[in-house]
Amino acid sequence: MAEASGPIFEGIPEPKSPDVVVLAPRMQGAPLPTPEQVLRFGYSEDDWEDFTLEWVHALGDPYVYVKRMGGAGDRGADIAACLTLQGTDGEWHCYQCKHYLAPLMPSDAWPEMVKIFVAKVQEAYELPTRYVFVAPKIGTTLSRWLLSPKTLKKKFFEEWNKEKSKLGADLDSADRAAVEALAEATDFSMFQPADMGFILKVHRKTSHHVRRFPQQLPARPDVEQPPDEQSIQEAVFVKKLLDVYNEKHGLALQNLQEARAHHKTKGHLVDQREAFYSAESLRVFARESVPPATYRAIEKDLYHAVVDVAAGPYSDGFERLRHVLIAASGHQPNQANILAPVVTGLDKKGLCHHLANDGHLTWCKEEEG
């Protein structure tokens, strides 16, 4: 089973992450519980299915559709991951979520296996080509049998054929016979365990992970230098800088190249673009590490720290920009926000240009109104 950063096909809707600000983990005191401990002892069945759905979306298998099916009437499938547009009428994988404090035992697995056979017999689904038990902990006996399809099948039928067995006891004679025949014809290698280490390795690459398991953030990558050519994303902020330079120096600069070539503006322009791209690297890092609201809180906090400064009377746009950048440099992000420790002084200046880029700040008076 390959791993990847997200679903193969863009058409798969991602699980929606709650719009929350992730707080920094405690710096002192008792150690935080491990993700394994949180999952096993701190989750409800619904939480577990939500978590599993996030993991399935992050797998590299070519799923064109992923659907949470859990609840009444799920017919033995908590999460259906479909490999074709035929959905569960075509090839698909079943992820069966089981959340117990005790390890998952064979007695927990048998009824679920019967359900999926019954669903096929009663034409609710096609039989999945992969049926994965997803549990915080799978017991030793079941783990061993799942690694030996022949043994698993033998043990299943031993339980099925026991006198007064509860497996299939609620079926009429025709369906019971059909289920038995289907199970006899099935390769039990379709039944597989999900390894918790692998689950967490894949889930760790999603933005959901830090929300569920507040730990220290990974190291932030180095900031790349701005490209020589102006990118589309910086068009507005560069135009506002050109207005500043033209107003202050009585110039008529029209583009980035002219400003970069002029001795009065090139040094300042280089510094501002470096700040802009530093803030952009923070935005990308946050997008890949935390829910969106966590980054927005950093940006909003800075905006409120500088907006009154930007509103003051100044002789020209350059002075307004200079005072805003000074205020931004002295601003301290909310230390409860998990991103706060990785926000640099250059980021804070760059965030001002991002806010200008988005129309929230402006420098020259003629732009106002």
Side-chain angles (χ1 to χ4, degrees):
M1 189 181 292
E3 61 179 271
S5 60
I8 296 296
F9 296 93
E10 293 183 357
I12 302 175
E14 290 282 358
K16 185 175 181 181
S17 179
D19 201 22
V20 297
V21 176
V22 178
L23 303 182
R26 297 192 304 272
M27 302 303 293
Q28 298 178 350
L32 291 171
T34 65
E36 290 87 349
Q37 290 170 331
V38 172
L39 291 173
R40 188 172 180 186
F41 301 109
Y43 270 29
S44 67
E45 291 184 6
D46 284 344
D47 292 334
W48 181 244
E49 287 191 15
D50 289 340
F51 170 78
T52 302
L53 182 65
E54 294 161 6
W55 167 60
V56 174
H57 270 279
L59 290 172
D61 284 322
Y63 298 140
V64 299
Y65 189 65
V66 176
K67 174 70 175 177
R68 179 176 176 178
M69 310 284 282
D74 63 22
R75 304 299 299 269
D78 287 326
I79 294 173
C82 306
L83 282 75
T84 76
L85 294 175
Q86 297 300 310
T88 55
D89 290 339
E91 184 178 2
W92 67 290
H93 296 164
C94 175
Y95 291 88
Q96 185 62 31
C97 306
K98 287 296 175 187
H99 190 276
Y100 304 136
L101 287 179
L104 197 67
M105 306 297 288
S107 58
D108 302 314
W110 304 142
E112 302 305 323
M113 294 162 68
V114 171
K115 285 181 186 178
I116 205 68
F117 289 138
V118 172
K120 164 59 179 173
V121 166
Q122 296 181 351
E123 300 182 343
Y125 310 132
E126 285 299 314
L127 199 65
T129 54
R130 179 183 293 169
Y131 184 106
V132 183
F133 287 103
V134 189
K137 187 173 181 60
I138 296 178
T140 303
T141 299
L142 181 57
S143 294
R144 187 171 67 250
W145 291 355
L146 286 166
L147 290 176
S148 174
K150 291 182 179 179
T151 301
L152 183 68
K153 190 171 189 176
K154 176 184 176 183
K155 296 297 183 180
F156 173 83
F157 275 104
E158 286 179 1
E159 188 66 28
W160 177 264
N161 291 318
K162 277 183 180 178
E163 186 177 356
K164 297 183 180 180
S165 173
K166 294 183 179 179
L167 297 183
D170 57 340
L171 299 173
D172 61 36
S173 58
D175 279 352
R176 181 177 171 82
V179 166
E180 183 170 334
L182 177 60
E184 284 282 10
T186 296
D187 181 351
F188 271 47
S189 64
M190 65 176 277
F191 298 107
Q192 301 168 11
D195 177 73
M196 183 54 60
F198 174 73
I199 291 173
L200 288 170
K201 181 180 179 181
V202 174
H203 192 270
R204 194 170 289 117
K205 297 179 180 179
T206 73
S207 62
H208 302 283
H209 194 80
V210 72
R211 169 177 60 86
R212 291 192 175 277
F213 314 110
Q215 304 289 326
Q216 296 299 324
L217 287 172
R220 181 178 164 186
D222 293 337
V223 178
E224 296 183 1
Q225 289 297 305
D228 290 337
E229 300 298 323
Q230 178 180 309
S231 65
I232 294 176
Q233 67 179 340
E234 55 179 323
V236 175
F237 121 80
V238 168
K239 174 63 170 58
K240 289 185 176 182
L241 279 180
L242 295 180
D243 291 338
V244 166
Y245 300 150
N246 290 338
E247 181 185 57
K248 178 175 178 60
H249 301 295
L251 303 173
L253 302 173
Q254 297 295 314
N255 54 53
L256 177 71
Q257 289 74 19
E258 291 180 4
R260 191 160 48 199
H262 201 286
H263 71 281
K264 290 185 177 180
T265 58
K266 63 180 181 180
H268 189 269
L269 176 66
V270 167
D271 290 344
Q272 305 319 305
R273 291 188 77 220
E274 285 184 355
F276 180 89
Y277 277 94
S278 182
E280 176 64 12
S281 77
L282 173 67
R283 186 189 67 81
V284 172
F285 174 73
R287 182 187 66 197
E288 297 174 350
S289 305
V290 295
T294 310
Y295 172 78
R296 290 200 303 270
I298 291 288
E299 188 177 60
K300 184 176 181 180
D301 198 27
L302 183 133
Y303 170 76
H304 286 296
V306 303
V307 64
D308 289 337
V309 176
Y314 299 99
S315 59
D316 56 36
F318 188 89
E319 282 301 300
R320 178 176 285 106
L321 171 59
R322 188 172 71 84
H323 280 83
V324 166
L325 294 181
I326 291 171
S329 297
H331 168 67
Q332 292 299 319
N334 184 346
Q335 295 302 298
N337 189 306
I338 195 172
L339 287 174
V342 302
V343 177
T344 69
L346 201 59
D347 293 333
K348 291 183 282 188
K349 291 182 177 181
L351 282 168
C352 295
H353 292 302
H354 278 245
L355 289 166
N357 215 40
D358 295 336
H360 300 300
L361 292 176
T362 194
W363 317 126
C364 293
K365 289 182 179 180
E366 59 265 27
E367 297 178 34
E368 301 173 354

